[in-house]
Structure formats: structure tokens, C-alpha cells
Amino acid sequence: MASVIQSGNLLGLGRTELEDLAVSHGQPRYRGGQLYRGIYARRVLDLSAFTDLSREFRAVLCSRHQITYPEIAREFASRDGAVRYLFRLDDGNSLETVYMPEADRATLCLSSQVGCALDCRFCFTALVGARRNLTAGEILGQVLAVTAAQNLPRGGRLNLVFMGMGEPLLNLPKVLAAVKILADAKGMGVPLRRITISTVGIIPRIQDLASEPTRPKLAISLNASEEEQRSALMPINRKYPLTELLQACRAYPLRPWEHLTFEYVLLEGCNDSDADARRVADLLRGLRAKVNLIPYNSGPELPYRPPPLERVLAFQQILRDRRIPTFIRISRGQDIHAACGQLSLAGLRQDGLPTSPA
Ligand code: SAH
């Protein structure tokens, strides 16, 4: 039996860990399963409300443990319905999650790390630098706290995308521990095909992910059409170059229902030419893939700008003419600085909103 936690928050523990906890208190293993379902399926927060457990076990649990979600410190509602949640973590760090409702579904944009080490030139999280990995409980806590705040029914259509702060493949063990509970029908009950991990392209971790029994969908942040250009925008490209990344993508075992998503942030005058679009089409030839074009969300701290709409449409048309399904993703929550890639800077300021106008 792995070491069993003696006290503290139960959020983030998997089924086996909760079963081990039950056994360590002289209880049968299935009591751990009851705890698991209570925490993740019924979403009970009060340990004394676990009336299916014996009175004695409940008393021990209440004296040593809690179930606590990360604290929502502030929330910012956009005109378009998106809500940016700023969480305060136990160690004083903060993290952000964005809720984006649509007519028949909702999408949550989740963070995997506080800050990020990767230093992509156009990204606001990069300005924060690397702070730390999130725990499985902090990842699950984002989903539990926001679904509770929004009163979302379990079993409602929810998409989860790891496109908030951080690089999920640099925190893969914790991300996968959380995904296992998220995707479990007896846990949080979000189908795997509605969960997406987005990465800059950490090749060895993509290969690890390929052999995972419980793996979500994969999105790759392409953002450039040539090696030099990509290295200038995303320094990680020097370590894991575009050509090798695409080889890893070609070797990635897609399930029958699955395709790869390539994200491409459009930066005016930088990576948005017709020649770029043609090169992207060449790079992706033969892959079962779609492309999401994201016109850049600018802010005062960085010099990049989005191209005009005609340029975005022309770029899309070149890819579509080459039979690559290509979509334009207009970011939600721009008025509250919750749009793609904008998270974290605002959150780390005192009032939670940028001081200068965007
Ligand atoms: N580290 C992961 C996930 C976080 S970023 C990754 O890079 O994929 C999620 C997406 O937002 C990436 O495609 C990234 O290129 C994009 N992005 C970052 N900053 C942006 C900005 N200011 N405007 C638009 N998209 C941005």
C-alpha cells in the first residue's frame, strides 16, 4: 500500500488512494469507493453528510480531513457570458479558469500550472515566469468550484480544455491523475472525447501520452510555418523542432473518432502571410487534423497585434482550398481579459484587472 494521507484535504485523491485510506482506518475497501463517489459524483463538501459511512469512520474523517475546493477570490463577467474566475491557492499563489457558456454546452478553460516556463514571446502567462505545478486537487477543484458556482448539472454537456495557464505536458502526472477522475463515469463523468490537452509540443511527453489508457484529445500549438520563425516565437522549438514535432504527430495513434487539432495564433506581419498558410498546409498534409486560427489577443505589455479580418479569412481560405478543415476561433471574454492566452497577468495584480487600457 502506498503511503496514506494522515490529514488534510481529500480533494484530488483517486479511488485507490481513498480505498487505502479507508483500509488504514480498519474499514473495508469499498468504503473508499463510497468516499470517491461522494466527492466527485455527488459532489458533497461536508464529510459529516456522508451518512452511508459508519458513524465512527465519519467522526475520524471529520477530525482529520476536509473536502475543500480552491477559493474563488474574484470573478469577472464578460458581456458575452464568459466568466473569468480568479482562485486563491493555499500557498498564496493565484490561478485562473474561464467559463464559456454556449446555447447547448459550456466550455471550461483550465490551468495546469501557476505561470509557465516556456517563454513564448506573444504569451502573457510567459511574463509571469515559472512558479509551480498544480496538484490534481487544484485541477479538479477548478471544475468542481466553477460547476458549483454556475449550478451546472452533472451529466450536462461540458467541454474541458487545458488551454489556461501553463503547459499541461510539463505537469503530465498530475494532469492525468485529474483526467482519470474527470473522465470516470463513477467520478466526474466528463467523457474523454470532451477533454483536450493543448501543448507547445513536448515530444517525449506526446509519446508518453500515446500509451496512456485514459488519454484526452490532443491539440498542438503550431503558431508558425517554418523552423526559424517558430523558434523566434516559441523558444521550445529549438529543443523540439517543428519537423520532429510533426513526425511525432504522424506517429501518434489516433482513435477512430479522433483527430489532432492544430492551433495557430495569427500575429500581424509575423506569421499571417499567404506563404505561411501554404506552408502550414504542406506541413499538415496527410494528417487527420483540423486547424483553429486564433487572431491574437493583444495587451499593452506585448507588441503583437492581430491581423485585419480580411487577412484572417484569406489565411483560412488557403487552408480550406487544400482540404484542411480550418476554423476561426474568436476569443470569448475579451472585455474582461479572459481571452485565449491572456490569463494570469491580470490575476496577479491586486485588483485583478490590468491597470492600463488594453
Ligand atoms: N501551453 C499550452 C496551453 C496554454 S496556451 C499551449 O501552448 O498549447 C493555449 C493557446 O493559447 C495556445 O495555442 C497559445 O498559442 C495561445 N495563446 C497564447 N497567448 C495568446 C494570445 N495572447 N492570443 C491568442 N492566443 C494565445
Side-chain angles (χ1 to χ4, degrees):
M1 200 190 294
S3 67
V4 174
I5 72 160
Q6 300 297 314
S7 62
N9 195 356
L10 296 181
L11 187 67
L13 298 189
R15 173 186 283 274
T16 312
E17 291 158 302
L18 290 166
E19 286 170 349
D20 290 348
L21 177 74
V23 171
S24 77
H25 288 291
Q27 300 287 321
R29 281 197 86 72
Y30 72 84
R31 294 281 181 217
Q34 287 173 306
L35 271 172
Y36 178 85
R37 283 191 297 279
I39 297 170
Y40 301 115
R42 290 194 287 126
R43 305 187 185 177
V44 179
L45 272 163
D46 177 3
L47 279 168
S48 64
F50 280 74
T51 44
D52 49 352
L53 303 177
S54 70
R55 191 185 300 267
E56 301 75 55
F57 186 33
R58 238 185 299 151
V60 174
L61 287 173
C62 288
S63 67
R64 298 184 180 203
H65 295 282
Q66 325 78 38
I67 304 163
T68 35
Y69 301 167
E71 179 202 346
I72 296 176
R74 310 246 349 226
E75 52 189 274
F76 305 93
S78 165
R79 282 189 292 272
D80 67 15
V83 183
R84 174 162 68 91
Y85 288 93
L86 174 67
F87 289 95
R88 195 171 348 269
L89 304 176
D90 291 343
D91 65 352
N93 270 307
S94 34
L95 79 83
E96 304 201 333
T97 306
V98 183
Y99 166 73
M100 294 169 285
E102 287 165 71
D104 59 341
R105 72 188 74 167
T107 300
L108 287 186
C109 184
L110 303 176
S111 295
S112 56
Q113 299 181 305
V114 181
C116 186
L118 291 174
D119 216 17
C120 297
R121 294 291 179 237
F122 50 84
C123 180
F124 294 94
T125 305
L127 300 178
V128 175
R131 296 250 176 123
R132 70 167 172 88
N133 283 334
L134 295 185
T135 63
E138 287 165 339
I139 295 171
L140 290 162
Q142 296 173 65
V143 183
L144 285 162
V146 174
T147 49
Q150 290 287 340
N151 253 318
L152 300 181
R154 188 172 184 279
R157 179 147 179 197
L158 185 65
N159 294 317
L160 303 176
V161 295
F162 283 89
M163 295 184 188
M165 292 167 72
E167 167 52 44
L169 292 195
L170 291 182
N171 186 18
L172 192 57
K174 300 296 182 216
V175 167
L176 286 177
V179 163
K180 198 170 166 199
I181 297 169
L182 287 167
D184 183 1
K186 293 196 169 123
M188 304 263 304
V190 181
L192 266 183
R193 62 184 73 194
R194 299 217 181 114
I195 308 176
T196 301
I197 292 183
S198 174
T199 178
V200 293
I202 311 289
I203 295 173
R205 297 294 84 74
I206 291 176
Q207 290 158 343
D208 292 346
L209 192 61
S211 55
E212 273 300 320
T214 308
R215 73 185 147 107
K217 292 199 295 183
L218 184 60
I220 310 278
S221 294
L222 190 63
N223 298 348
S225 67
E226 289 182 308
E227 295 290 1
E228 268 316 299
Q229 179 196 39
R230 193 167 192 267
S231 296
L233 290 172
M234 303 173 71
I236 192 72
N237 192 66
R238 296 192 201 284
K239 190 162 181 192
Y240 301 119
L242 197 50
T243 37
E244 291 173 29
L245 173 58
L246 283 155
Q247 275 167 19
C249 289
R250 283 177 206 287
Y252 192 75
L254 291 171
R255 291 154 284 194
W257 48 268
E258 192 176 13
H259 58 255
L260 287 170
T261 298
F262 287 88
E263 295 155 278
Y264 195 99
V265 179
L266 284 165
L267 307 163
E268 182 175 31
C270 210
N271 65 358
D272 64 343
S273 70
D274 287 353
D276 283 307
R278 287 193 293 266
R279 280 192 293 265
V280 168
D282 288 343
L283 287 171
L284 303 186
R285 184 159 297 131
L287 273 167
R288 195 151 88 226
K290 72 165 189 178
V291 173
N292 281 338
L293 299 175
I294 316 171
Y296 184 62
N297 294 297
S298 48
E301 295 87 355
L302 292 171
Y304 300 97
R305 293 287 168 263
L309 182 62
E310 310 83 75
R311 183 92 297 274
V312 177
L313 292 170
F315 199 101
Q316 178 189 39
Q317 196 57 49
I318 290 171
L319 289 169
R320 288 196 160 170
D321 287 346
R322 286 158 180 76
R323 298 191 199 297
I324 297 175
T326 305
F327 305 90
I328 298 170
R329 233 175 64 187
I330 300 295
S331 294
R332 304 278 302 271
Q334 300 199 20
D335 54 335
I336 52 163
H337 309 281
C340 299
Q342 286 190 316
L343 297 189
S344 79
L345 256 198
L348 294 166
R349 291 209 174 108
Q350 266 239 304
D351 65 355
L353 277 173
T355 43
S356 44

